[in-house]
Amino acid sequence: MTTRRACSLILPALLAVLSGCAIGDVRRTPPGPSNSASPISPPPSPRPVAETRTTRLAVPKKYDRPYVEFADVRNGYALFAVCDGLPPGPECPALLWSTRDGGLSWQQLRHPKPVADNQQLYTAAGMLALVAEPHGWWTSTDGGETFDHSPGLAAPPRWWAAEGRFRVIDHSGTVGRWDGTMLRPLRTQPSIPALNTVVQGDGRTVTAGGTEYRGPVVAAGAGEDGRLYAAISWDEGRSWERTPVPTPDGEVGVLRAELAGGQLWLIGERPDRTSFPALWRLEASGWQPVSAQGHPESGQAVPLGGLVAIVSPQGAGVVAGGWYMDLPWPVTSEHHLRLLPDDTLFAVSEEEILLGVGNLADRTWTAVIIETI
């Protein structure tokens, strides 16, 4: 079967997976040389962004490029924390800016600790966090208008709460649950060697025996023996059921769990952290391997729900229906791609910031450019 014939059979299946989304020019990348005389279609050319939002901020040129994070499609922050290649000082303090309209306009915020050895910026749903080493953390739930200070370099309870009710407690290898006051280790721990991720899935709240259950909790990790482990709790971490992870093709160094669009995934990162990862999706029968025929040799995987976005040296693509197909997104391997809590795709590189709004692989992209005076 020629490459063109294969594409004609696979593309309708992909469109069915995408529930009728119009994603434009999508073609499968062939897995290898073809014996057919038919020409092989190249990856689609990236489409230009639909809109470019450029703002010039009152920041001197001596500041290096800012570190930018978005919490959702509208709310973002820019931290200028390096001055002439050095940490900020009294003559060149860290500067903090925010946007409430997706980068159309920016407003300067008061940085609570503008002089420090190492400045960092983080966002989560409804939360802005600044780290100023060695002085501690500053967290805000009102968009940076006010901050609470937490001494020390350990993440404060407010940040734990914003990150999710369940998480791996730093340097302990145990799962903790946020009880409204602090992150407490669970009495019953999943039997997971080298535990590295825990995530809670979506689900309707169910009351049984006076106890509320909000969705399954998945813990995952890879042992030193190369075996992969995952466990699921259906009762808020009170008990755990080991769930077998089918053996992947090739070695996995780190196994992480992710939730996207109501779907739970396992991503098996290769030991070199660049080769194309192994993929599994949780179904009624357990963890099922997800094949990606024709995939590139390397790639960053970002689940979007029932499919997975891929960013590789050849550009952007998607895994759906067992196949890898290229996408005409303006995203390259220079970007770090992640899914925000409101399902916006956030792609950032040293040169630009991209926001992708839409459903699954059908995205409209906006470029956000920050210039200085």
Side-chain angles (χ1 to χ4, degrees):
M1 181 169 61
T2 68
T3 298
R4 292 185 180 277
R5 176 59 177 164
C7 291
S8 68
L9 295 176
I10 297 163
L11 188 53
L14 174 60
L15 295 177
V17 172
L18 297 178
S19 301
C21 294
I23 61 175
D25 186 8
V26 180
R27 306 190 188 102
R28 178 173 67 87
T29 300
S34 171
N35 293 325
S36 169
S38 300
I40 297 175
S41 299
S45 299
R47 290 181 177 175
V49 296
E51 180 183 359
T52 299
R53 299 169 180 173
T54 303
T55 306
R56 177 164 292 183
L57 305 183
V59 175
K61 290 288 187 183
K62 61 183 177 180
Y63 283 87
D64 290 5
R65 290 181 179 276
Y67 185 80
V68 179
E69 283 284 1
F70 271 72
D72 54 44
V73 70
R74 297 186 60 83
N75 296 287
Y77 304 91
L79 174 65
F80 292 84
V82 180
C83 200
D84 289 331
L86 298 174
E91 303 301 321
C92 190
L95 303 178
L96 180 64
W97 294 74
S98 72
T99 179
R100 297 289 177 268
D101 51 20
L104 284 169
S105 63
W106 293 81
Q107 304 78 40
Q108 188 168 6
L109 301 173
R110 182 189 67 85
H111 194 297
K113 193 66 175 178
V115 178
D117 294 336
N118 183 25
Q119 301 275 1
Q120 300 165 48
L121 166 69
Y122 302 98
T123 59
M127 175 75 69
L128 164 65
L130 301 173
V131 181
E133 295 182 2
H135 307 288
W137 286 63
W138 279 261
T139 52
S140 174
T141 56
D142 57 11
E145 297 297 324
T146 61
F147 287 89
D148 285 346
H149 179 221
S150 302
L153 298 183
R158 293 182 84 195
W159 177 254
W160 290 336
E163 282 276 85
R165 297 172 60 245
F166 294 88
R167 63 169 293 168
V168 179
I169 300 176
D170 294 339
H171 310 298
S172 70
T174 59
V175 178
R177 181 177 183 270
W178 174 254
D179 66 1
T181 304
M182 63 180 299
L183 191 67
R184 299 182 184 276
L186 298 177
R187 292 184 178 180
T188 303
Q189 292 288 325
S191 179
I192 302 292
L195 175 69
N196 62 275
T197 60
V198 61
V199 65
Q200 185 169 28
D202 288 339
R204 293 178 300 173
T205 299
V206 178
T207 301
T211 302
E212 289 188 349
Y213 303 120
R214 305 187 187 182
V217 183
V218 176
E224 294 182 359
D225 57 1
R227 296 182 61 186
L228 306 179
Y229 301 87
I232 296 180
S233 173
W234 298 93
D235 55 8
E236 299 281 290
R238 294 169 178 83
S239 63
W240 295 87
E241 175 187 352
R242 179 76 69 81
T243 52
V245 180
T247 302
D249 180 13
E251 186 179 357
V252 167
V254 175
L255 185 67
R256 55 186 172 90
E258 286 201 15
L259 170 70
Q263 296 281 336
L264 283 163
W265 289 81
L266 292 178
I267 311 296
E269 300 287 357
R270 305 301 183 178
D272 62 6
R273 302 305 294 267
T274 60
S275 297
F276 195 87
L279 304 170
W280 299 263
R281 186 170 62 184
L282 183 63
E283 300 181 2
S285 56
W287 296 107
Q288 296 299 317
V290 175
S291 62
Q293 296 188 51
H295 66 74
E297 293 185 359
S298 62
Q300 174 195 170
V302 180
L304 302 181
L307 50 81
V308 179
I310 302 294
V311 179
S312 74
Q314 70 185 43
V318 65
V319 174
W323 293 89
Y324 169 85
M325 302 182 190
D326 293 299
L327 288 174
W329 289 353
V331 179
T332 72
S333 58
E334 300 298 319
H335 292 91
H336 175 73
L337 183 70
R338 64 187 177 90
L339 189 67
L340 301 181
D342 66 347
D343 290 332
T344 299
L345 277 173
F346 175 63
V348 60
S349 69
E350 291 187 1
E351 301 297 329
E352 66 178 345
I353 302 148
L354 298 174
L355 298 172
V357 179
N359 181 44
L360 297 175
D362 184 18
R363 300 279 168 167
T364 299
W365 293 91
T366 297
V368 177
I369 298 175
I370 299 175
E371 298 179 344
T372 55
I373 59 177

